Amino acid sequence: MVATQTLNEWLPHLLDKPWLDSLAPELRIVLAVSSLTLIPVFVIAMTAFTRIIIVLSLVRQALGLQQTPPNSVLIALSLFLTIFAMSGVFEQINNKALLPYANGSIELSAAVSNGIEPLKGFMLSQTDEVHFIRVLDMAKVPVPQSSADVSLTHLVPAFMLSELTLAFKMAFLIFLPFLMIDLLVASCLMALGMIMVPPITVSLPLKIMVFVLIDGWSLITGSLVQSFM
């Protein structure tokens, strides 16, 4: 019966306090520690992190740099940009779920339900209707009548598909000027008869110089944050 329920229906019941109180303290500690491993999954699947990290990674590829900036730098930058872009959502979660639960005014199940609602609103605002309808068609379920009826099991994959699509569209526009530099350098070297010189040797410093002169990192990160507003 539980397997057929949607995620946003059975998750609050799963975290119901009487059920947790029935467990031994050792089992509750193991459950709490194990649940921490799901945090990266939620960060990737339900926040702005996916779009940001994909665009930044493809910018690195467009520049022709394989390991610079390192993955750790891109991930840290993506995390802080995610926090910045979703500060309003996190503030709602803090006011509606974390603070009331810390004060003891609501139970854990209610805190989870209240915390999910701002995330659902954010994902709905960023999800393309075409992808959402496609996911509903795959699940063979009717279109929800209101946002409250939207299931996380359908919303999360539709949101991720929308994020992937938009990230690749942004990356395509970023790739074009760098591609033009590569083609221009290759044509010049061919015209000069320098066929033994790899074009990347000349185009790489040119692309870096152009990227720095236009303050590329600030432009790209600003555009990414504005795309969520």
Side-chain angles (χ1 to χ4, degrees):
M1 180 67 177
V2 175
T4 60
Q5 292 179 327
T6 58
L7 182 63
N8 49 331
E9 289 176 341
W10 60 261
L11 184 59
H13 298 289
L14 182 65
L15 298 175
D16 196 17
K17 189 174 180 180
W19 178 80
L20 291 174
D21 290 340
S22 64
L23 296 177
E26 294 80 5
L27 289 177
R28 276 184 280 178
I29 294 175
V30 171
L31 182 62
V33 173
S34 300
S35 63
L36 294 178
T37 60
L38 298 176
I39 294 178
V41 178
F42 292 139
V43 170
I44 294 173
M46 302 175 69
T47 67
F49 181 81
T50 299
R51 185 191 306 180
I52 295 173
I53 189 61
I54 289 176
V55 171
L56 294 182
S57 299
L58 290 176
V59 168
R60 183 176 64 181
Q61 294 293 325
L63 286 170
L65 303 171
Q66 299 302 318
Q67 297 296 330
T68 306
N71 290 332
S72 56
V73 174
L74 290 183
I75 292 173
L77 177 60
S78 300
L79 284 173
F80 280 101
L81 288 176
T82 300
I83 295 173
F84 181 71
M86 299 188 60
S87 57
V89 177
F90 293 149
E91 185 177 356
Q92 293 181 43
I93 295 175
N94 184 59
N95 294 333
K96 294 181 179 179
L98 297 181
L99 289 180
Y101 178 70
N103 296 332
S105 57
I106 60 174
E107 299 292 337
L108 180 59
S109 57
V112 172
S113 299
N114 294 344
I116 287 176
E117 290 306 316
L119 280 177
K120 283 181 63 177
F122 169 78
M123 288 189 289
L124 283 171
S125 66
Q126 301 296 326
T127 301
D128 188 4
E129 184 179 353
V130 175
H131 292 106
F132 187 57
I133 297 298
R134 192 165 298 167
V135 170
L136 294 179
D137 290 340
M138 288 189 291
K140 295 181 173 59
V141 295
V143 178
Q145 300 298 321
S146 64
S147 59
D149 299 329
V150 175
S151 170
L152 286 178
T153 53
H154 304 143
L155 179 59
V156 172
F159 169 73
M160 294 192 69
L161 288 174
S162 300
E163 291 293 283
L164 288 172
T165 302
L166 186 55
F168 274 83
K169 288 180 180 179
M170 296 178 68
F172 172 75
L173 297 177
I174 294 171
F175 257 91
L176 286 179
F178 297 114
L179 179 61
M180 295 302 297
I181 294 176
D182 287 332
L183 292 176
L184 181 61
V185 169
S187 300
C188 291
L189 291 176
M190 186 70 68
L192 294 173
M194 303 173 63
I195 59 176
M196 300 301 293
V197 178
I200 188 65
T201 305
V202 180
S203 65
L204 179 58
L206 287 177
K207 289 190 290 187
I208 294 177
M209 180 184 67
V210 171
F211 194 69
V212 171
L213 288 177
I214 65 173
D215 198 12
W217 289 115
S218 296
L219 290 175
I220 290 173
T221 53
S223 299
L224 281 170
V225 172
Q226 289 297 323
S227 67
F228 294 99
M229 301 304 180

